[in-house]
Amino acid sequence: MTEQKPSQFERGTDGPKVIVVGVDGSASASRAAAYGGGLARRQGALLAFVYVQPLLSAGAAMGAPVAETTDEIAESIMEELRHGTELFKGIFDLRWEFHTFRGDPYTGLVTAADELKADAVVVGASEQAGHRFVGSVAIRLVKTGRWPVTVVP
């Protein structure tokens, strides 16, 4: 019989390597970004912020510049994230990226999580009343069951 040595604990190597956070400029998404940032910092993980720009809709058919508007929103969100992370520069070491996709939020987040090989997904709770009946992006992500999903209120 061979004697087994007890396994040695490796501090900081068991957690997620990539955490995807869905952002859209809402208050709950900002809280999700802060929560995801804390997770990534403690785990030494890459924090991947993902904004999914909506597809052209009926507004675009009537001449509204939807693509330009969503690009401006993406730029605004990225600038807000950059400013937030700069506040902690030199205090906390945080690696982060910003990605943007076009489409519906659920499909965009699934695509991002798959492409980035996410170990976890963090999203804010839906602030829209209709999602109680139809199902929010968060609920759909949980039901997908491919990653741990944290829903931040």
Side-chain angles (χ1 to χ4, degrees), residues 7 13 16 18 33 35-36 38 43 48 50 53 60 62-63 75 81 94 103 114 118 128 138 143 146:
S7 62
T13 60
V18 178
Y35 185 88
Q43 296 293 333
V50 175
Q53 298 182 34
M62 307 197 60
E75 189 63 38
L81 294 169
L94 183 65
D114 285 344
Q128 296 180 4
K143 288 182 178 182
R146 295 207 297 253

Side-chain angles (χ1 to χ4, degrees), residues 2-139:
T2 308
E3 186 179 319
Q4 288 186 336
K5 293 181 182 179
S7 62
Q8 190 171 357
F9 177 74
E10 294 180 58
R11 186 177 175 102
T13 60
D14 295 354
K17 300 295 179 217
V18 178
I19 299 172
V20 167
V21 178
V23 292
D24 62 5
S26 68
S28 66
S30 293
R31 290 188 295 271
Y35 185 88
L39 286 176
R41 179 187 56 80
R42 288 186 297 278
Q43 296 293 333
L46 172 67
L47 184 61
F49 294 110
V50 175
Y51 171 61
V52 182
Q53 298 182 34
L55 291 174
L56 303 179
S57 63
M62 307 197 60
V66 176
E68 289 175 22
T69 302
T70 59
D71 286 343
E72 289 172 13
I73 292 169
E75 189 63 38
S76 172
I77 292 170
M78 187 170 67
E79 193 55 42
E80 183 180 322
L81 294 169
R82 185 177 290 123
H83 175 72
T85 57
E86 285 293 319
L87 293 174
F88 298 106
K89 196 172 193 169
I91 300 169
F92 299 121
D93 191 22
L94 183 65
R95 295 178 303 126
W96 66 280
E97 301 173 347
F98 182 79
H99 301 269
T100 183
F101 292 83
R102 291 197 188 274
D104 73 277
Y106 168 77
T107 304
L109 287 170
V110 167
T111 300
D114 285 344
E115 287 182 9
L116 298 169
K117 296 180 179 28
D119 297 302
V121 177
V122 179
V123 292
S126 176
E127 296 177 347
Q128 296 180 4
H131 285 166
R132 289 187 209 129
F133 305 108
V134 178
S136 68
V137 171
I139 290 171

